Every structure is written in structure tokens, then in C-alpha cells.
Amino acid sequence: MTEKISSSLRDSSAARWTALAIVSFTMFCGYFIADAMSPLKPMLESQLLWDSMDYSIFTSAYGWFNVFLLMLILGGILLDKTGVRFTGILSTAIMVIGASMKFLAISHFFPEGLAPIFGIKAQVMFAALGYAIFAVGVETAGITVSRIIVKWFKGKEMALAMGLQVAFARMGTLLAVAIPLPIAKYFGDVAIPILFGALLLCIGLIAFIVYVRMDIKLEASEAHMEKEAEEPFKLSDIIQIVSNKGFWLIALLCVLFYSAVFPWIKFATDLVINKYQVDPDLAGLIPSVLPLGTLFLTPFFGNLYDKKGKGATIMIIGSILLIIVHGIFSIPFLNNWILAIAVTIVLGIALSLVPSAMWPSVPKIIPEKQLGTAYALIFWIQNWGLMGVPLLIGIVLSATNPTVSQAKVVVKAAIVETYTQMQPQMNLNKIQFDKAVDKTTTRLINQVLVNTEYKGIQDTTGFADFKNKLVSVNLDAVKSIQALEGKAKIEQQIEDACVKAGYDEINKQEIALRYDYSIANLIFMIFGGLAFIVALMLKAEDKKKGYGLELPNIKN
């Protein structure tokens, strides 16, 4: 009887792994919506006329509130003061609100003709605000889940648990890069995948509420145990954390490493289409290999760290792999899609190595009572990279491909003009007209990206003539087809004719519609190199201070 009274619910293997599964599912939902827009970049450009800067502004919004309003740090303080239950429910609810705003921004419900806000398209700004709000929730949920794992697994399989949580959450990333584009094309609506993600997040919120019941039972099971009295949060806690050199090294490693991975994921599908000329319906499958690999390898490396140690060494090896991967991606003539898959697998190994050792190392450097704030500070520093690097990549893409977005606007304008002149025969309402234009434009641009071999002329002159010529060849092609009966058949005939004639004309004039990602990938490689240097410094600091990063986590 005494043994039962003195036991904690965390001593039950089934209980702690169940708790892990529940909170991991909530993070799975969050990770899906975090990256669900990534494969949609080509459709955002062809249908909503976003350009690379619009997309980069939207992506960089992830860090707006977390960085400038210090929401992540406040979230960490809130976590240390109120605990995981309140913070977890609040952060998940915020995710739902932000995801809903993203959906509304790119859906047909968003009003047309709104004036730009601070020089940014109203639609882009509203989507970015939704993403910024979502980011507050998902990042705070991330530190909350990290604290939950420490709570249930300290002195046990902590690195394995963190590895499994990351691996399962990455399944959300896998789906986010693999399925949104086919779903959007099937429904003819770029907003449908985001709606799916928002509904999925509602289920994730329910799942966390279920976890709250388990957390209450855990505390009840430990009510009789003698615990170390927890001091209330003080400003001096932050001072102690930021005075720790080990904290800064692991925080810098975090921001540098993730800056070379997560922003790359945001552009990966577009990279695969533009450089490797993979069909857009399949392009998302290549970057999806990255999180698929982490599903198995992150727990493996986490378990290795638990039992054998060598955490700092694992982080060094992962950083070296980053340098190799982005170096290969940046070489223009290495454009075989099989090589792209192989290199992405190696990137997945890197993404498994570093986090599996990095996150379990934080409790070895920072006292447990300050962990919430410490994780929040690390995530806050990381968000500088998640905010700034996508914006940097957008600037680089625009500078090295100055006319691509403008050319796509001209192509769509020509399709609109063609369909406007054919409207008496087609008799489409506004929704049908817009969908027909979007479908034709997307199909035409994708065919050019996948099938043409020319590099493209980056020249803004002659675009007006190009538009008129494209309209002319489209109308000639449409007039030459044999008319069929039935509205759907006529519409399909016109679409096929415009795609064929438009492709021939674009190919003939060598209009640049393809982005060159070489310089962008060199930037990612530089971040990998800096991460490698910091990882070496962290290993040296561990040897000096004796944090135990090279020692196993499981106590015998």
C-alpha cells in the first residue's frame, strides 16, 4: 500500500506516453497550418497575383508579434506563473483564431478593391496578421509542450520523448508540403487547404483539453510528495538566464540552424518546380521527404542521446550536413530531381540530429524553475530568424529574378482579356469566370515551368506588346477550334486552346517565368556554416563548464 501511495502517475509508462501522444497531436495540427501555405506559392502568384515579396512579407509575419511585441517572452513568463494547463489552452485557441484569419484573407469572402495598408496589399496584410497571431499561439504551445515533456519525463526517456514529439509534429509539416497544392487544384480554390488546417486545429484544441484532465491527475498523484518550493517569477530570472554563456550558444545554434531549414521549407515546393521542373501536383512530395525522415530518425537520435550521450557532437554533425545540402542545392547544373530527393533526405537527417540533442540539452544548462522563460527566450531569438530570413530570401529572389512576377501578371492579364472577349459564347457568372481564368493561368504557367528549357530573358521592355500578342494568338487559337455543344465542353476547349497557344508564344519569346534559387540557397549554406561554428563553441563551453551535454540523460 505504501508503494502505491508514494508513486506518481509519471511512473506509469502508459500514462506518460499517452500524455505525450495527446500533446504531440496538438502540435501536429499546429505544424500543418504553419507550413500549409508553402506549396501554394505558385497558385498565390497565378491566381491572387502575389509576387515573391508578397509571399515573403506574409511568411516573415510569423515573427512580427513574437519578436517586436515580445509575445514569446511574455508567454514563457505566463507559463512559469500559471502552468501548462492555462497556457496550453490559451495558445491553442490563439492558433485557431490566426488560422481562421489566414483562410478568410485568401478566400472569396475577402472584399476586393481594398486600399494597400502601409504599402502592402490589403489581402497580403490581413493574411500576414492572421499568420502573426497564429505564430504567437504555436510558439507558445511549443514551449508549453517542451515543459510538459520535462514534467513527465525528467530522469527518464526525456530526449526520446522530445524526439518523438518533434517527429510526430513534423508529420504535420509533411502533410503541409505534400497535400495542399493537389487539394487546392482539385477544388480550384487556394483557400481550401487552409480551411482544412483551421478545422484540424479545432480538434487539436479538444485534444489538449483532454490532456488537461491527465495533468490534473498527475498533480493529484504527487500531492503527498515533498517538493522543492518553487519561487515566483522574478526579473532576476531573465538576468540569470541571459548571463549564462551556454544559453546564448544554444540559442544562437537554434536560430542559425532553423534559419537554414524552416525558411527553406517555405520555398521548397517552388524551388522544386522552378529548378527541377517537377510537375506541381508531385512537387510537394520531394520536400515532404524531409519531415518523413525525421519521423524515424529524431526518436532514434534522441534515444541514442539518452543512452550514450554525445549531444554536442550530434549537433556538430547535423550542422556539417546543412552546409553540404545547401551547397549542392545552390549549384545550377545539378538539377536532376532524383538528386533533389537524395539531398532532401540528407537535410532530413540533419533536422533529426540537431533538435534531438539541442532541446534536451537546455535543462542541463538552465534550472528547471526557469525553463519556461528560457525556452521562451530561445524561441524568441529563433523567431528573429524565422521572420528575417524569409524576407531576405524574398528580396534576393526579386533582385535576381526582377521580371518574373511582372511576367506572370502579364500572362494572367492576357488570359483575362481573352476570356472577356469570349464571354458572349461562354456566358459565365463572376465566380465561374474567375475560376476559369485562374485555372487556365495556373495550368499555362505550370506547363511553361515544367516543359521549357530556356533560362528566360530578364527584360521589362516589350511586355505591353507581349500581352497584346498573347491575346491575339489565344483568340486565333480559340476561333480555329471546332465548336462543341455544352457549356462545360466549350469552356474546356477554350482553356486547352489558350494553354497550347500561350505556351508556344511564351516559349518562342523566351519570357522569364522561372525563379533562379542559386543565390538563395547560398544564403542558407552560410547559415549552416555559422551553425557549425557555434556548435563547436558549445562543445568547448560544455567541456569547460561541465553541463554534461556529452553524457547520457538516463540515470542508472
Side-chain angles (χ1 to χ4, degrees):
M1 177 69 76
T2 305
E3 185 177 342
K4 290 184 179 179
I5 293 175
S6 62
S7 67
S8 163
L9 186 60
R10 67 193 293 271
D11 294 326
S12 166
S13 178
R16 64 176 181 270
W17 291 110
T18 300
L20 177 69
I22 293 172
V23 297
S24 296
F25 176 75
T26 299
M27 292 308 298
F28 163 87
C29 301
Y31 273 45
F32 176 85
I33 200 68
D35 288 308
M37 290 277 273
S38 304
L40 300 177
K41 181 177 182 286
M43 287 189 72
L44 291 169
E45 292 180 347
S46 63
Q47 293 191 5
L48 303 184
L49 297 183
W50 288 25
D51 56 28
S52 283
M53 276 306 302
D54 293 327
Y55 178 76
S56 298
I57 289 169
F58 161 78
T59 304
S60 72
Y62 190 91
W64 287 357
F65 296 157
N66 285 329
V67 169
F68 296 120
L69 299 184
L70 306 179
M71 296 304 294
L72 250 177
I73 296 176
L74 293 175
I77 295 172
L78 181 69
L79 175 59
D80 282 339
K81 289 180 70 70
T82 65
V84 298
R85 298 198 288 264
F86 175 78
T87 309
I89 290 176
L90 177 63
S91 59
T92 310
I94 290 173
M95 282 196 279
V96 173
I97 294 170
S100 301
M101 288 181 63
K102 281 174 63 178
F103 163 70
L104 289 173
I106 64 172
S107 71
H108 293 295
F109 298 108
F110 192 79
E112 296 180 1
L114 295 182
I117 302 172
F118 301 119
I120 301 171
K121 296 173 186 174
Q123 184 184 56
V124 175
M125 177 60 84
F126 194 78
L129 289 174
Y131 197 35
I133 291 170
F134 163 82
V136 172
V138 74
E139 291 289 303
T140 305
I143 61 175
T144 302
V145 168
S146 296
R147 184 67 179 268
I148 287 171
I149 293 173
V150 173
K151 185 176 186 178
W152 285 81
F153 286 89
K154 188 175 182 181
K156 301 182 185 296
E157 316 93 332
M158 186 168 65
L160 175 60
M162 286 190 172
L164 285 170
Q165 184 271 313
V166 170
F168 189 72
R170 295 264 190 271
M171 285 294 293
T173 303
L174 185 155
L175 291 180
V177 296
I179 68 172
L181 190 54
I183 289 176
K185 289 187 69 176
Y186 177 80
F187 287 98
D189 190 339
V190 74
I192 295 299
I194 309 304
L195 175 61
F196 171 77
L199 295 175
L200 193 64
L201 267 177
C202 293
I203 301 174
L205 175 58
I206 295 171
F208 197 89
I209 293 172
V210 172
Y211 165 76
V212 166
R213 296 293 303 164
M214 289 195 68
D215 194 80
I216 292 172
K217 290 181 180 180
L218 171 63
E219 293 199 353
S221 73
E222 296 182 340
H224 61 284
M225 294 183 179
E226 187 175 335
K227 297 182 180 178
E228 181 182 347
E230 290 193 10
E231 300 178 15
F233 171 82
K234 303 186 295 292
L235 183 61
S236 59
D237 289 338
I238 293 181
I239 297 174
Q240 288 178 13
I241 292 170
V242 299
S243 300
N244 188 330
K245 184 178 178 181
F247 161 80
W248 279 108
L249 289 174
I250 207 160
L252 285 173
L253 176 61
C254 175
V255 66
L256 291 169
F257 179 83
Y258 282 133
S259 291
V261 179
F262 289 150
W264 180 86
I265 292 175
K266 304 294 186 186
F267 293 88
T269 301
D270 196 49
L271 164 68
V272 167
I273 294 171
N274 283 271
K275 179 175 181 180
Y276 299 99
Q277 296 182 256
V278 176
D279 188 302
D281 288 340
L282 303 175
L285 296 178
I286 292 180
S288 73
V289 172
L290 188 154
L292 180 62
T294 64
L295 175 65
F296 305 102
L297 293 177
T298 306
F300 171 78
F301 291 128
N303 188 47
L304 182 67
Y305 185 21
D306 278 333
K307 295 180 177 179
K308 303 295 182 181
K310 304 297 181 183
T313 302
I314 289 173
M315 289 183 261
I316 290 171
I317 295 171
S319 300
I320 292 173
L321 293 181
L322 271 189
I323 301 171
I324 296 172
V325 165
H326 289 305
I328 294 174
F329 274 132
S330 65
I331 300 174
F333 61 83
L334 295 180
N335 56 4
N336 185 281
W337 65 270
I338 297 177
L339 177 63
I341 293 176
V343 175
T344 304
I345 290 172
V346 177
L347 183 58
I349 295 172
L351 186 56
S352 302
L353 281 164
V354 175
S356 68
M358 181 170 60
W359 297 120
S361 295
V362 177
K364 293 185 175 183
I365 298 173
I366 303 296
E368 185 173 355
K369 69 185 183 71
Q370 298 172 343
L371 270 181
T373 304
Y375 276 125
L377 285 168
I378 293 171
F379 278 44
W380 179 72
I381 294 168
Q382 175 189 327
N383 268 249
W384 277 96
L386 298 183
M387 176 186 67
V389 175
L391 194 59
L392 173 62
I393 297 302
I395 293 171
V396 169
L397 285 176
S398 296
T400 54
N401 305 272
T403 65
V404 169
S405 61
Q406 186 179 351
K408 291 181 178 180
V409 170
V410 172
V411 170
K412 182 166 185 177
I415 299 295
V416 170
E417 179 64 25
T418 302
Y419 273 67
T420 300
Q421 294 196 36
M422 296 303 300
Q423 178 66 343
Q425 292 96 310
M426 301 177 74
N427 192 28
L428 302 174
N429 60 37
K430 186 179 185 308
I431 294 177
Q432 292 172 333
F433 183 90
D434 289 343
K435 282 195 172 185
V437 167
D438 288 344
K439 184 181 177 184
T440 305
T441 306
T442 301
R443 186 180 158 195
L444 172 56
I445 291 175
N446 287 344
Q447 191 168 121
V448 171
L449 295 178
V450 172
N451 295 324
T452 58
E453 297 299 331
Y454 66 85
K455 183 177 180 181
I457 301 169
Q458 298 283 347
D459 183 9
T460 57
T461 61
F463 267 2
D465 291 339
F466 164 62
K467 176 194 170 184
N468 295 333
K469 181 63 176 175
L470 192 55
V471 172
S472 176
V473 298
N474 283 343
L475 291 174
D476 288 343
V478 169
K479 291 174 182 176
S480 66
I481 61 177
Q482 183 178 357
L484 298 175
E485 293 186 3
K487 187 176 180 179
K489 291 182 179 179
I490 293 174
E491 185 179 331
Q492 187 62 54
Q493 270 191 318
I494 294 175
E495 177 188 324
D496 292 341
C498 288
V499 169
K500 185 179 185 307
Y503 173 84
D504 291 341
E505 186 63 26
I506 291 170
N507 189 31
K508 176 182 175 182
Q509 296 199 35
E510 296 190 352
I511 301 299
L513 296 178
R514 181 178 290 113
Y515 285 105
D516 182 352
Y517 272 85
S518 300
I519 303 300
N521 276 300
L522 281 174
I523 292 172
F524 289 130
M525 187 180 73
I526 291 171
F527 281 114
L530 293 174
F532 169 67
I533 294 171
V534 173
L536 287 175
M537 294 172 64
L538 181 61
K539 185 173 182 177
E541 184 70 9
D542 173 54
K543 189 174 182 179
K544 179 181 177 182
K545 295 290 181 63
Y547 294 128
L549 303 187
E550 295 287 274
L551 299 177
N553 293 316
I554 296 178
K555 300 175 182 178
N556 295 322

